Amino acid sequence: MAKLLVKLQRYFRRKPVRFFTLLALYLAAGSLVFLHSGFSGEPTVSGSQRSSGAGEGPGLPYLGVMQLSRGFKAAATMPEGGRRHGPWFKSTSKEPSERGKAGDYSSTRSRALRGRNGREKEEDRARYIGCYVDNTRQRTLRGVSFFDYKKMTVFRCQDNCAERGYLYAGLEFGAECYCGHKIQASNASESECNMECKGERSNTCGGVNRLSIYRLELAQESARRYGSAIFRGCFRQPDNVSIALPVSQLMLNMSVDKCVDFCTEKEYPLSALAGTTCRCGFPTTLFTLHEREDEQLCAQKCAGEEFESCGTAEYLLVYQTQVQDNRCMDRRFLPTRAKQLVALASFPGAGNTWARHLIELATGFYTGSYYFDGSLYNKGFKGERDHWRSGRTICIKTHESGQKEIESFDSAILLIRNPYKALMAEFNRKYGGHIGFAAHAHWKGKEWPEFVANYAPWWATHTLDWLRYGKKVLVVHFEDLKQDLFIQLQRMVGLLGITACEDRLLCVEGQKDGNFKRSGLRKLEYDPYTPEMRKMISGYIKTVDTALKLRNLSGVPDDYYPR
């Protein structure tokens, strides 16, 4: 045997081409055997599941992407339709109930109908229920919403709505996702839902003022009931409570989730527990949620849950439901060209994007930018594409600090943030994106010390330049905006020449986070600032504090010290 192997080795050394030819034939044969074993047990595909591709003829077997993926890795158990589904879907194997039983599967079908059949095939665990009318002033689905004008997909919308416990997910204009517990509009023709999803052109994502709506088959009923309700506090019952909280229900077996579930079903953002009475409503001037009481005043046990508090007839325990308050969600460009250019100026990382979000909700008008950031445009900041001098936006984001650039604006809101927090936020944005985080290697490597050395002086000179060269500058501290949003936002909107409705500002308080808030899950477990860095930054803080006080303004907030 050994002699035979030696002879073969010598033979192939003399004629390597034959060796590689035999090797290629061996691999090809093995691949064919592998593919055959993958397809040999494939179940029969019913006519309703066949593709409408031009290459498919009557009586021909369908071997689509779904079957091919199974052939390569059955252990992966890719869901039907080639899509990934989260744990919130029921594991049901039933066929979609509403399929074309005797429909024409020729290539002459409209793209809208083809998109619908694709959805039914691929999203059978999130049932497609139809195309519906939508209205910007009275939304069909009144839960949370988010936009992505570049990467929106059907699954992404479903996943986001299901994660928050909603029953329905709707897609509109190819890039907008709306969630809700109730559909409050009439059906529209399927042909009107005719816009491709921005992130997957094989599917349809609604149309102009038209929603493609899916019902999410949740795996757990509890995920829908009160999932992400937010505790707002204990409050004294308002005068004219029946006006302030217009919907109520007596619940002898009261619990937090029962009241939250009731108000969610009624499409109200506030759920107030008053002993055995559940009340629902909106934050208004009659019930602002600004004057919290001691929680012990609401500490009466629930009749239906002994470990929960349910408030009293005099003191209400308030939760914010998943229902989105739509009184402040409409936005548009200015109807006439602005006569003055107002800057929203800040050092990078000082919360400019968040401030833009608040201003857009409070005024109803888009904000613009001195730059163009495609990721912000894709997230719904539609003024991002306009030239900063277009006059169509209510204010202009800028990080510029030169005299010429500053003097281009007629007035400014100057947003200042604690430099220690601002530097870390900008470092995270630079290396991790708007809501991402810098890697551990960046913090421990040379990038962080170089960044602090270059950016810390800029934090000080940015503020000093705007105080020196700016015209009509309103100083707002990021920390004050977080702590007292209502008052600070009133000041900001006043400079913009807009008379803000108080109810609209109260609505903003409930929607204040937006889509650009970093999760605290990856906060650093150590202080990245060295003693030398802290000494340098403390000097800049004192310089800015002195400059503010020389202009009869309040100095920097107390939490800037000590470090």
Side-chain angles (χ1 to χ4, degrees):
M1 186 67 181
K3 290 182 180 180
L4 178 62
L5 290 174
V6 170
K7 286 181 179 179
L8 285 173
Q9 187 180 17
R10 288 175 180 173
Y11 174 77
F12 284 122
R13 278 181 182 175
R14 291 195 298 269
K15 298 183 179 181
V17 174
R18 293 186 182 182
F19 171 74
F20 287 113
T21 302
L22 286 171
L23 182 62
L25 288 172
Y26 173 78
L27 292 174
S31 299
L32 288 172
V33 171
F34 178 74
L35 287 172
H36 176 72
S37 66
F39 289 118
S40 59
E42 196 67 48
T44 303
V45 182
S46 65
S48 65
Q49 288 176 301
R50 292 187 180 182
S51 167
S52 61
E56 180 183 342
L60 293 178
Y62 172 62
L63 297 178
V65 174
M66 175 183 70
Q67 284 78 8
L68 192 62
S69 67
R70 288 181 184 172
F72 280 113
K73 194 171 183 180
T77 62
M78 181 174 283
E80 219 172 306
R83 281 185 172 271
R84 174 179 64 86
H85 291 289
W88 42 271
F89 284 119
K90 288 179 178 176
S91 57
T92 173
S93 58
K94 66 179 182 179
E95 293 278 340
S97 59
E98 299 178 10
R99 301 294 303 267
K101 295 180 181 177
D104 177 17
Y105 289 99
S106 70
S107 60
T108 58
R109 292 181 303 170
S110 69
R111 180 166 59 82
L113 185 58
R114 184 165 64 251
R116 182 183 67 179
N117 287 344
R119 286 192 300 266
E120 289 171 342
K121 178 182 73 176
E122 297 181 347
E123 309 299 334
D124 60 340
R125 292 188 178 95
R127 187 165 56 88
Y128 175 71
I129 60 174
C131 182
Y132 286 78
V133 176
D134 195 24
N135 187 304
T136 56
R137 296 194 177 277
Q138 194 74 5
R139 288 293 180 189
T140 301
L141 295 176
R142 300 178 186 174
V144 300
S145 62
F146 73 98
F147 312 136
D148 193 328
Y149 290 92
K150 190 175 181 181
K151 298 180 180 178
M152 180 61 73
T153 65
V154 172
F155 175 75
R156 186 178 177 201
C157 179
Q158 293 173 352
D159 200 29
N160 275 272
C161 293
E163 188 179 84
R164 291 163 174 78
Y166 287 101
L167 275 175
Y168 298 100
L171 296 107
E172 181 173 336
F173 205 64
E176 301 174 2
C177 176
Y178 297 89
C179 311
H181 289 286
K182 186 188 296 184
I183 300 172
Q184 305 194 60
S186 58
N187 281 94
S189 168
E190 285 297 323
S191 62
E192 295 177 36
C193 284
N194 55 11
M195 297 187 72
E196 295 176 339
C197 301
K198 297 294 184 181
E200 78 183 327
R201 295 192 174 182
S202 61
N203 268 330
T204 302
C205 285
V208 179
N209 291 329
R210 295 294 182 268
L211 279 168
S212 298
I213 296 183
Y214 295 82
R215 179 182 173 89
L216 306 174
E217 302 294 342
L218 300 180
Q220 295 181 359
E221 179 74 11
S222 60
R224 188 181 81 232
R225 292 175 63 82
Y226 62 98
S228 56
I230 301 169
F231 177 67
R232 296 297 299 270
C234 178
F235 300 89
R236 181 183 291 275
Q237 178 174 285
D239 297 331
N240 301 317
V241 66
S242 59
I243 299 175
L245 300 167
V247 174
S248 63
Q249 176 75 38
L250 180 66
M251 294 182 178
L252 297 178
N253 198 26
M254 173 72 85
S255 67
V256 173
D257 44 309
K258 283 187 175 66
C259 187
V260 168
D261 195 35
F262 172 74
C263 294
T264 299
E265 179 67 25
K266 296 296 182 181
E267 298 286 346
Y268 283 97
L270 292 185
S271 170
L273 292 82
T276 55
T277 302
C278 175
R279 299 186 180 276
C280 314
F282 294 92
T284 64
T285 52
L286 295 175
F287 193 45
T288 63
L289 304 183
H290 288 165
E291 298 178 5
R292 292 180 64 157
E293 303 286 350
D294 187 335
E295 289 181 25
Q296 289 301 315
L297 297 172
C298 291
Q300 177 175 298
K301 289 183 179 180
C302 295
E305 179 54 69
E306 62 175 325
F307 299 109
E308 294 179 350
S309 297
C310 279
T312 68
E314 188 177 354
Y315 292 95
L316 310 181
L317 206 59
V318 179
Y319 288 83
Q320 184 171 319
T321 72
Q322 302 165 33
V323 176
Q324 182 167 277
D325 189 343
N326 285 313
R327 296 175 299 168
C328 58
M329 297 307 292
D330 58 303
R331 287 167 289 175
R332 62 193 185 279
F333 288 102
L334 293 172
T336 57
R337 184 183 173 89
K339 295 179 180 178
Q340 291 192 329
L341 291 175
V342 182
L344 178 60
S346 73
F347 174 77
N352 199 302
T353 300
W354 180 56
R356 289 177 68 183
H357 166 74
L358 297 176
I359 289 170
E360 289 193 1
L361 295 186
T363 64
F365 296 113
Y366 290 119
T367 58
S369 177
Y370 195 82
Y371 322 97
F372 170 68
D373 187 329
S375 66
L376 292 181
Y377 177 83
N378 291 331
K379 296 295 183 183
F381 288 93
K382 294 185 178 179
E384 193 75 19
R385 264 190 184 171
D386 270 35
H387 189 274
W388 66 280
R389 285 186 177 275
S390 70
R392 296 207 306 160
T393 53
I394 194 69
C395 64
I396 312 297
K397 163 191 172 178
T398 180
H399 299 311
E400 300 301 307
S401 56
Q403 180 178 355
K404 181 180 178 181
E405 288 78 7
I406 292 172
E407 290 178 346
S408 300
F409 294 95
D410 300 291
S411 57
I413 298 169
L414 177 59
L415 190 62
I416 304 174
R417 186 181 187 183
N418 184 324
Y420 293 99
K421 300 288 182 64
L423 288 167
M424 292 178 69
E426 176 58 10
F427 190 72
N428 276 320
R429 186 207 64 81
K430 187 173 182 179
Y431 289 98
H434 280 285
I435 55 175
F437 293 86
H440 185 75
H442 291 134
W443 292 101
K444 288 295 189 180
K446 65 179 182 179
E447 293 93 343
W448 172 243
E450 289 179 355
F451 178 85
V452 172
N454 291 325
Y455 276 67
W458 182 18
W459 176 85
T461 58
H462 182 276
T463 299
L464 298 175
D465 284 353
W466 276 95
L467 292 175
R468 181 178 180 184
Y469 302 118
K471 312 165 194 171
K472 197 179 177 183
V473 176
L474 173 68
V475 174
V476 176
H477 292 284
F478 175 88
E479 293 76 17
D480 293 341
L481 185 60
K482 280 185 67 177
Q483 186 174 350
D484 196 357
L485 186 143
F486 190 87
I487 298 299
Q488 296 300 326
L489 199 51
Q490 271 187 325
R491 295 176 64 222
M492 295 162 70
V493 170
L495 182 77
L496 299 173
I498 301 291
T499 302
C501 167
E502 283 193 43
D503 281 355
R504 187 170 184 116
L505 292 177
L506 290 168
C507 168
V508 176
E509 284 188 310
Q511 318 292 329
K512 62 183 180 182
D513 286 341
N515 294 324
F516 285 90
K517 182 179 180 181
R518 286 188 178 88
S519 166
L521 297 178
R522 286 186 57 187
K523 286 183 178 178
L524 287 178
E525 297 178 356
Y526 59 91
D527 185 352
Y529 293 99
T530 64
E532 294 77 15
M533 292 177 182
R534 287 196 291 271
K535 182 178 179 181
M536 173 182 64
I537 293 171
S538 293
Y540 293 136
I541 291 174
K542 291 175 183 176
T543 301
V544 169
D545 185 59
T546 301
L548 290 170
K549 289 177 178 177
L550 286 173
R551 287 162 178 78
N552 295 320
L553 300 169
S554 60
V556 298
D558 292 339
D559 67 353
Y560 286 25
Y561 300 104
R563 290 293 299 189

